[in-house]
């Protein structure tokens, strides 16, 4: 029998176990650390997988990330025969879309400023910019960036996007490659980061990038904390280059007590909750992928290791 090991928290693990029992009873589901004979394990699902864990399973064929991102894995240390598969999960996409819409609308409608006014007991109207005059720029046109742009469409914003390879999306002006980044930044009144964290994208939202944004631009970071140079963001806020930010991710996570992001009224900070991996949705995605493997088909979400995302 093919064995599958889930390594995550025990409560979710039991939910995964129940779903496997119902929908894939032919697959031998094992909840770490009760992994049985390690030689029987073909598949492992985990948020993180240090090399000692992978080494426990000599016949491992695939490692499934329990998230959309794979930057938490050490790609260099992955044995050659192990495929890395990220989660392309409708549940994660829905969570990100919900959060991105909240964040873009909150920044578009100056909510951080109004919250500050409220705390100070001030009743003050501010000029309202119509959505048609506001440009939203999305970094990353993958599963998540594309879904966010599609959901933003009906609000009437001017939409722009940036990716590594060239893309054509209805209603979105697309830019690509290093040469296209400046054009995107110059058009981003609201900049949304939905990039994967790789050596090429680490620190990409830095002092130079802030200087290329329209004055008073706003930032939404839904990628990883490492995309933003946090001290540069604070400087850009102080200089007025950036007027407000919604950050779901930070570096490190959790941010240490007393970090300036906690108390800065220009920042709305949440603890990496924009999208959560729900067993109901994620386990079904993984089961569908195991069926593909059993049928000799390639995995959906297979990560090319040389690309890193
Ligand atoms: P994806 O489908 O792999 O898409 C990644 C996009 O980024 C692609 O459009 C890719 O370009 C682009 N990209 C990668 N490197 C680039 C570079 N050097 N220059 C320009 N564009 C580049 O990933 P996804 O599923 O949309 O997820 C994106 C990220 O969201 C994840 O990696 C994770 O970090 C983050 N995330 C956060 C949360 C949260 O709760 N906050 C939840 C889930 C995911 P190409 O199209 O040309 O390949
Ligand atoms: C969460 O951040 C994910 O990568 O799914």
């Amino acid at each position: 029998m093919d064995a599958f090991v889930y390594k995550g928290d025990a409560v979710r693990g039991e939910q995964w176990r129940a779903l496997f029992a119902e929908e894939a009873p032919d697959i031998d589901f094992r909840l770490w650390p009760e992994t049985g004979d390690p030689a029987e394990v073909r598949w492992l699902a985990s948020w993180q997988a240090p090399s000692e864990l992978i080494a426990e399973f000599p016949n491992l064929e695939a490692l499934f990330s329990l998230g959309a991102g794979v930057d938490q894995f050490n790609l260099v240390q992955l044995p050659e025969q192990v495929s890395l598969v990220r989660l392309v999960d409708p549940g994660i996409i829905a969570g990100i879309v919900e959060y991105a819409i909240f964040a873009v609308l909150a920044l578009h409608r100056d909510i951080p400023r109004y919250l500050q006014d409220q705390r100070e007991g001030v009743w003050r109207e501010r000029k309202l910019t119509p959505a048609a005059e506001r440009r939203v720029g999305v970094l990353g046109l993958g599963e998540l960036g594309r879904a966010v742009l599609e959901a933003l469409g009906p609000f009437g914003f001017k939409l722009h996007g940036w990716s590594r390879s060239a893309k054509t999306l209805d209603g979105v002006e697309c830019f690509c490659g290093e040469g296209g980044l400046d054009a995107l930044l110059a058009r981003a009144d609201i900049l949304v980061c939905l990039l994967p964290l790789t050596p090429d994208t680490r620190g990409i939202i830095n002092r130079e990038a802030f200087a290329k944004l329209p004055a008073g631009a706003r930032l939404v970071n839904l990628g990883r904390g490492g995309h933003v140079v946090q001290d540069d963001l604070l400087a850009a806020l102080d200089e007025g280059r950036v007027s407000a930010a919604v950050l779901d991710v930070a570096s490190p996570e959790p941010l240490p007590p007393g970090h300036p992001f906690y108390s800065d009224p220009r920042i709305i900070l949440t603890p990496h909750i924009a999208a959560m991996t729900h067993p109901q949705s994620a386990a079904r995605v993984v089961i569908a992928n195991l069926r593909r493997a059993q049928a000799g088909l390639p995995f959906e979400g297979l990560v090319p290791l040389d690309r890193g995302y």
Side-chain angles (χ1 to χ4, degrees), residues 47 66-70 92 223-224 272 275 277:
W47 172 246
L66 290 177
V70 293
I92 290 182
R224 290 287 184 260
H272 202 145
T277 303

Side-chain angles (χ1 to χ4, degrees), residues 68-71 86 92 96 140-145 162-165 167 194-198 200-201 222-224 227 248-249 272-275 307 309:
V70 293
D71 53 286
R86 64 191 205 89
I92 290 182
I96 288 288
L141 299 177
E143 301 294 337
L144 303 179
W162 183 68
S163 54
R164 207 165 62 110
S165 56
K167 299 263 180 306
L194 271 165
L195 288 167
L197 188 62
T198 68
D200 289 338
T201 64
L222 287 169
R224 290 287 184 260
H227 286 126
D248 180 54
V249 286
H272 202 145
I273 47 74
R307 207 180 64 166
Y309 69 94

